[in-house]
Amino acid sequence: MWDTLTTKYPLLQRGSKATPLVTLSTSYDQDTQEKWANKGLYRIADALEGTKVITFHQYAELKRSGVASWFHYLQLRARVAEVLDDPILEKLLPQHRSQVLDRISASLPLQVTANLISHEDYWRRCSAERWPICDISRYGGSWKRLFFERHLENLIECFIPDITDTGPIVMAAQLGKDYVKKLEIQQLLPPVKLNIKQDDDQEDFSDIGSDIGDDLPSMDHFDLGIMANSLHGLEELHLVYGVKGCGMNFEWNLFTFTERDCTSLANTFKVLRNLKVFSLQKSKVDDEKARILIRMLLDHPSLIHLDLSHNQISDRGSRAVGKLLSQSKLQILNLCNNNIHAHGAQSIARALAKNTSLTSLNLRLNHMGDEGGHAMCQALLLNQSLVTLHLGSNKLSEPTATMLCQVLSQNTTLKSINLSCNNIGLDGGKQLLEGMSDNKTLQEFDLRLTEVGQESEFFINQVLKNNQERTRVVAISKQVNTSG
């Protein structure tokens, strides 16, 4: 096999470099040589892993057969260094290329392999050795993208401010700049607090204590701006400022998105101009921090999906959201599980009435009440882009259902509405049924735990089935016309 390779590809021939990569080692003194010889052991130099020890029997086999299969393995592995230094993988025949790739160690430095090996088989092997479960469909079908994204995510999630070196993260971002499209950071660790105890017998160290208190960490969590310049191609960013799996070590300060974090993250948006999806969940984002972030997103050229769910945004932050809806091209907005009341819902509704791009709005688990629900329905009478609306668990009741009846009879773009966990009641259910009698487009209507009554819910479901069948027939007709 080796003779075939060296015949076809002279670069792989032994002696093509000034110093052979695999040779019997003669770099030790006479006493050491005699010591090893008396034990019947020999050493062989390996360019990738230093020296190898072989037995006399193995050495005799090597001498008798010239280059035995075991020696073939070492030789081929060593030649990998030459292949990487002067890449010819694309020139190799497929069967020979696979043999070389199979022998390249998955633990080689990324500085060596990142830009020189593009073959998916190698990166599949690297990924499988590190992570037992790898769903390549979530990474555009690319093993190399999967490896670089998950590698960078792991580095960031394990980063501890002022303890962990930022160098490996910056290097990984630079090496993966052509492959990293999405980052899902499930935790960001805070600095480690050092408890400094003062001995009662010592002198007064109040001045020193003051200096220690001023010695703040350089950052409260990892600053994405450190690597942002290397990630111009980043399209999705999902963040959680908290610690996962803290167990009995739980403290509220492990889940704090500080003002310094907010400012550094907002400045990062200036660099990530290709960002399409931004998610910041479960991070205690309040009104002031939401306003800082949104201010930097007002003129963002690419953002279409914003997720600020499970935070602490209330009416003042909702006004900033309304301004964002008026100036951006957002298509999906998720504000689930915040603290939005009637005035905040009204701010969002005013912007929604004039918006022409938003297709999905999730306001579940807020406190808008019927006053906010009325404003939202008024906006839906004018809006012609929204397709999905979630108003579950918002303290809505019959007055909102009465207004929504008019929306159902006039709006032709909504296809999914969720009113679950609201006290709509029997009369409200009848109002909704009346509106549905004229509706031809709505296909999903979640009325669980709304007490609308079985009869109203049954007839509403019948209308939904008819709408779904009508949509299916129209889709088939379009398909037939297109193929014809």
Side-chain angles (χ1 to χ4, degrees), residues 65 71 76 120 215 243 263 298 375:
S65 61
F71 192 71
L76 187 56
E120 288 289 281
D215 188 16
V243 180
T263 301
L298 289 175

Side-chain angles (χ1 to χ4, degrees), residues 6 10 55 82 115 261 266 298 308 329 350 410:
T6 55
T55 66
E82 294 183 40
N115 297 319
D261 291 328
L298 289 175
L308 295 176
K329 297 298 181 182
R350 283 193 293 270
Q410 295 183 22

Side-chain angles (χ1 to χ4, degrees), residues 186-452:
Q186 299 180 19
Q187 76 169 6
L188 286 168
L189 301 177
V192 175
K193 291 186 177 180
L194 299 178
N195 295 324
I196 302 178
K197 297 183 179 180
Q198 183 172 321
D199 194 341
D200 294 337
D201 296 333
Q202 292 178 351
E203 298 179 1
D204 184 14
F205 289 102
S206 57
D207 293 338
I208 298 178
S210 176
D211 293 339
I212 293 174
D214 294 337
D215 188 16
L216 296 174
S218 61
M219 61 184 80
D220 295 329
H221 295 87
F222 178 72
D223 183 1
L224 293 170
I226 294 174
M227 64 174 188
N229 289 326
S230 300
L231 297 178
H232 291 290
L234 189 67
E235 297 179 356
E236 293 189 36
L237 179 59
H238 304 259
L239 298 174
V240 175
Y241 282 79
V243 180
K244 61 181 181 181
C246 59
M248 297 299 293
N249 296 318
F250 172 84
E251 294 180 14
W252 279 116
N253 60 7
L254 298 178
F255 302 84
T256 301
F257 179 56
T258 67
E259 292 184 7
R260 190 158 50 156
D261 291 328
C262 185
T263 301
S264 62
L265 179 59
N267 290 331
T268 303
F269 294 144
K270 298 178 182 178
V271 181
L272 303 178
R273 306 307 284 174
N274 291 315
L275 192 66
K276 296 180 180 179
V277 179
F278 174 62
S279 172
L280 179 57
Q281 300 182 357
K282 306 172 185 175
S283 300
K284 300 173 68 174
V285 179
D286 57 21
D287 285 345
E288 190 58 37
K289 297 183 182 69
R291 290 167 64 88
I292 293 174
L293 294 175
I294 290 173
R295 189 181 303 123
M296 288 298 183
L297 293 173
L298 289 175
D299 60 348
H300 197 283
S302 305
L303 190 70
I304 59 175
H305 183 161
L306 178 61
D307 186 346
L308 295 176
S309 60
H310 308 287
N311 284 299
Q312 299 175 353
I313 301 172
S314 60
D315 293 347
R316 191 162 178 258
S318 298
R319 289 197 293 271
V321 172
K323 187 175 182 180
L324 179 64
L325 286 177
S326 301
Q327 298 187 22
S328 69
K329 297 298 181 182
L330 271 184
Q331 297 177 13
I332 301 174
L333 175 61
N334 188 350
L335 294 174
C336 163
N337 193 22
N338 276 279
N339 194 30
I340 301 173
H341 290 75
H343 293 298
Q346 290 170 348
S347 299
I348 296 175
R350 283 193 293 270
L352 182 63
K354 302 176 182 179
N355 184 277
T356 59
S357 62
L358 196 69
T359 61
S360 177
L361 175 61
N362 189 341
L363 292 172
R364 179 174 66 95
L365 289 170
N366 280 285
H367 313 278
M368 65 172 60
D370 287 322
E371 187 177 353
H374 185 274
M376 199 63 61
C377 291
Q378 290 281 8
L380 292 174
L381 291 173
L382 301 174
N383 180 276
Q384 297 182 357
S385 65
L386 199 66
V387 176
T388 302
L389 176 64
H390 201 321
L391 297 178
S393 299
N394 263 286
K395 301 181 180 179
L396 305 177
S397 60
E398 182 183 343
T400 298
T402 301
M403 189 64 192
L404 189 57
C405 170
Q406 185 178 355
V407 174
L408 292 172
S409 61
Q410 295 183 22
N411 186 288
T412 59
T413 56
L414 275 170
K415 294 184 178 181
S416 176
I417 299 178
N418 192 318
L419 287 182
S420 61
C421 302
N422 286 296
N423 189 22
I424 303 299
L426 293 175
D427 292 336
K430 294 176 181 178
Q431 294 289 335
L432 295 177
L433 178 57
E434 180 182 346
M436 284 297 296
S437 62
D438 297 324
N439 187 284
K440 299 293 188 290
T441 55
L442 195 68
Q443 299 183 34
E444 297 179 1
F445 201 175
D446 194 338
L447 293 170
R448 291 173 298 170
L449 301 177
T450 57
E451 303 296 332
V452 297

Side-chain angles (χ1 to χ4, degrees), residues 18-226:
T19 303
L21 290 173
V22 177
T23 61
L24 290 176
S25 177
T26 58
S27 59
Y28 45 88
D29 56 32
Q30 185 65 31
D31 292 340
T32 304
Q33 292 185 41
E34 292 179 359
K35 179 180 178 181
W36 282 82
N38 291 335
K39 291 185 177 182
L41 298 175
Y42 293 82
R43 292 200 305 174
I44 196 167
D46 185 336
L48 295 182
E49 295 186 0
T51 59
K52 292 283 187 179
V53 178
I54 60 175
T55 66
F56 176 80
H57 176 73
Q58 290 171 321
Y59 177 64
E61 181 67 21
L62 289 176
K63 291 189 67 176
R64 184 173 67 253
S65 61
V67 181
S69 59
W70 184 83
F71 192 71
H72 265 166
Y73 169 72
L74 290 180
Q75 185 77 348
L76 187 56
R77 284 179 43 134
R79 296 303 171 189
V80 165
E82 294 183 40
V83 174
L84 295 179
D85 187 50
D86 187 5
I88 62 167
L89 284 176
E90 299 301 330
K91 301 177 183 179
L92 296 175
L93 293 176
Q95 63 270 30
H96 297 155
R97 184 190 305 132
S98 63
Q99 291 174 353
V100 173
L101 288 172
D102 287 344
R103 288 165 172 78
I104 298 178
S105 173
S107 60
L108 285 178
L110 285 179
Q111 303 93 301
V112 177
T113 59
N115 297 319
L116 294 175
I117 302 180
S118 59
H119 296 275
E120 288 289 281
D121 285 345
Y122 173 77
W123 296 107
R124 176 188 55 77
R125 184 156 52 86
C126 292
S127 300
E129 288 188 10
R130 288 191 58 179
W131 305 288
I133 300 177
C134 299
D135 184 2
I136 193 176
S137 64
R138 300 179 63 242
Y139 300 88
S142 170
W143 285 104
K144 191 169 187 178
R145 175 184 163 186
L146 181 150
F147 181 87
F148 274 97
E149 288 186 2
R150 295 189 67 170
H151 175 61
L152 189 54
E153 289 167 359
N154 289 347
L155 291 177
I156 295 174
E157 289 178 353
C158 296
F159 178 86
I160 302 176
D162 291 340
I163 293 181
T164 308
D165 183 14
T166 60
I169 299 180
V170 174
M171 179 180 296
Q174 180 63 30
L175 294 173
K177 62 182 180 181
D178 295 330
Y179 315 107
V180 176
K181 304 296 181 185
K182 175 176 64 176
L183 288 177
E184 294 183 275
I185 312 301
Q186 299 180 19
Q187 76 169 6
L188 286 168
L189 301 177
V192 175
K193 291 186 177 180
L194 299 178
N195 295 324
I196 302 178
K197 297 183 179 180
Q198 183 172 321
D199 194 341
D200 294 337
D201 296 333
Q202 292 178 351
E203 298 179 1
D204 184 14
F205 289 102
S206 57
D207 293 338
I208 298 178
S210 176
D211 293 339
I212 293 174
D214 294 337
D215 188 16
L216 296 174
S218 61
M219 61 184 80
D220 295 329
H221 295 87
F222 178 72
D223 183 1
L224 293 170
I226 294 174

